[in-house]
Amino acid sequence: MLRITVLAGGVGASRFLRGLVHAAPDADITVIGNTADDITLHGLHVSPDLDTVMYTLGGGVEESQGWGRAGESFAVADELAAYGAQPQWFTLGDRDIATHIVRTQMLAAGYRLSAVTEALCDRWRPGVRLLPMTDDRVETHVVVRPEDGGDTQPSAIHFQEWWIRLHAEVPAERIVLVGVDRSAPAPGVLEAIENADVVLLPPSNPVVSIGPILAVPGVRDAVAATTAPVVGLSPIVGGAPVRGMADAALRVIGVPATASDVAGIFADVLDGWLVDEADAEAVAAVESSGVRCRAVPLLMRDVPATAAMASTALELAAERREGSGA
Amino acid sequence: MLRITVLAGGVGASRFLRGLVHAAPDADITVIGNTADDITLHGLHVSPDLDTVMYTLGGGVEESQGWGRAGESFAVADELAAYGAQPQWFTLGDRDIATHIVRTQMLAAGYRLSAVTEALCDRWRPGVRLLPMTDDRVETHVVVRPEDGGDTQPSAIHFQEWWIRLHAEVPAERIVLVGVDRSAPAPGVLEAIENADVVLLPPSNPVVSIGPILAVPGVRDAVAATTAPVVGLSPIVGGAPVRGMADAALRVIGVPATASDVAGIFADVLDGWLVDEADAEAVAAVESSGVRCRAVPLLMRDVPATAAMASTALELAAERREGSGA
């Protein structure tokens, strides 16, 4: 049985995973989810990326947006607003809140996030093993300088506030993964990378989704050291993110939003990289850095199209394995 | 301005208070609410009696049942059940949950329950000053012995579990107010009793609603010592509770469910007691214990009927004041 390990952000990764499950129905898939987007809202522990994977693969996601629960209602949020409870820039749906209540209560009872995630998945049965990158608290903060303030000191705000409230429109000076240097990989994370037959980086945000996972001490080294081929898919198509605001995040770290430059971020761990046909001219540049590269359609229009992407990624991985075996 | 202080349970007290506000629109009313029914559910701090007063006087209550929010929905509860979260015998509505989220978060931030209650009332503007009986944790537990277990040891369960899950049908050996002996009256409670012109005991459950309030150290003494007349209204009409299961609670403490026997529970603090016309024969017995007593209609059919009850209670109090002044 093919053991596939995937480092996952939220919406992009979840859609890719649905295609992967379709393309490799018999594979043993472990998903290592980003938890640096996690945020405490109204006293509830929210894990947006883990939940997006869980809801999507478990059949509970709101398809039209790719996150949140289908058939969602907002009675609690309306009431919280009536009380003037802050923040009001992040709206939690009623169904979604139940997930956060269960998670918060289990964490308060002393369970680790990995155990909580496993318990939540008992209900959703996503068909993959979902692991948080770490059981420790890591939060992506963004250092911003208010545009109107000449002498104003820069301030660090939670990534979600920059992303959702400010639409990533306020220029960011730096992205800081608070707590990451003191974090440890969650149980099973390093083993899943070491024992994998294939490691995949789906078209997630390279800076704030894949980046934090690789920044957990030991993870990047494990991905570089694993005997499994490591294949990624570009989240940048034609010089722009397929969805989301990856370009804004790339700008912060000074990396141009191109399919080949994003490959460069992961060059030390990559064996293969898929770019969209629109970026065919990037293939040579990527391959010159020692990474096999292929240009194929990378738009996740539907499950079959996404499954084809996943199949191509697995083929590219198999080439490396055969090549290294020869 | 007439200063009225009311010791309040949940539904019965809230309906009475609505009549009182109608009967004495210019009065300065302080409500001391029972918090021994409070329970932590799904990690949320629920204060059923405080909320029932707040929702009822604030115009947000579900009129048909006298508690909970009007127009309530249950998306969160359905999801919690889908996760198998326990307990499932206490269903929280979505709108109601927002109240508990705000309360829980403020308590976790270090605010006392009295400050939280004041903040919640900022929205509801109930027209009275609502104080919890204490800021300390007090929980009514019920000692039950499973009916089928001959050798089974009795066990203590939360009052809500006995009341709601078991419908008070399992015989109780004892009622224990856990934590009450180490509790202190919340800020303003003793002052509201000492400085009142009238103290009222609405037709609430005498054992598990009024009882815990009087059991907070200092409160019963303050009610006995205040110069204000203390007038109560019988929750028992014709030998049965008007609503609820006060008879089951009375049975536990060995007090017959009659209008005069309930007066006996409060004999040390009462100056006046209203019984229903159906219990007119109880008047002599009550008065023989030194408590003025009058038989009037005590069914809270609507606001005018309830306002008439409140007016009669205030009249009985005024007689005492005039009497003592003579």
Side-chain angles (χ1 to χ4, degrees), chain A residues 41-44 54-55 69 73 75-76 79-80 82-83 85 94-95 97-99 101-102 105 120 123-124, chain B residues 41-44 54-55 69 73 75-76 79-80 82-83 85-86 94-95 97-99 101-102 105 120 123-124:
Chain A
L41 293 167
H42 307 292
L44 301 175
M54 188 172 76
Y55 294 159
R69 293 290 312 281
S73 56
V76 177
E79 287 295 314
L80 289 173
Y83 278 117
D94 296 330
R95 293 183 173 190
I97 280 176
T99 302
I101 286 176
V102 173
Q105 198 183 4
L120 294 172
R123 171 185 174 197
W124 289 103
Chain B
L41 293 167
H42 308 293
L44 301 175
M54 188 171 76
Y55 294 159
R69 292 290 312 280
S73 56
V76 177
E79 288 295 313
L80 289 173
Y83 279 117
Q86 297 296 335
D94 297 329
R95 293 184 174 189
I97 280 176
T99 302
I101 287 176
V102 173
Q105 197 183 4
L120 294 172
R123 171 184 174 198
W124 289 103

Side-chain angles (χ1 to χ4, degrees), chain A residues 12-13 16 201-205 210 232-236 242 298 300 309:
Chain A
F16 174 76
L201 309 190
S204 291
N205 188 311
I210 308 282
L233 296 92
S234 175
I236 302 291
V242 174
L298 282 195
M300 300 189 283
M309 287 167 52

Side-chain angles (χ1 to χ4, degrees), chain A residues 50-62 68-70 95-96 98-100 102-103 116-128 130, chain B residues 79 82-83:
Chain A
L50 295 179
D51 286 349
T52 299
V53 171
M54 188 172 76
Y55 294 159
T56 302
L57 297 183
V61 80
E62 172 56 45
R69 293 290 312 281
R95 293 183 173 190
D96 195 36
T99 302
H100 311 319
V102 173
R103 177 184 291 116
V116 175
T117 305
E118 188 178 347
L120 294 172
C121 286
D122 266 353
R123 171 185 174 197
W124 289 103
R125 306 201 172 277
V128 303
L130 179 59
Chain B
E79 288 295 313
Y83 279 117

Side-chain angles (χ1 to χ4, degrees), chain A residues 120-141:
Chain A
L120 294 172
C121 286
D122 266 353
R123 171 185 174 197
W124 289 103
R125 306 201 172 277
V128 303
R129 189 165 62 122
L130 179 59
L131 304 177
M133 67 186 200
T134 179
D135 281 332
D136 300 315
R137 183 170 173 178
V138 176
E139 277 188 10
T140 303
H141 285 203

Side-chain angles (χ1 to χ4, degrees), chain A residues 11 25 40 42 48 51 75 78 101 116 119 141 174 181 183 193 209 212 239 271 278 296:
Chain A
V11 178
T40 302
H42 307 292
D51 286 349
D78 288 348
I101 286 176
V116 175
H141 285 203
R174 253 178 331 131
D181 45 339
S183 72
I193 296 166
S209 295
D271 297 294
V296 294

Side-chain angles (χ1 to χ4, degrees), chain A residues 82-93:
Chain A
Y83 278 117
Q86 298 295 335
Q88 296 188 7
W89 48 262
F90 197 117
T91 304
L92 297 172

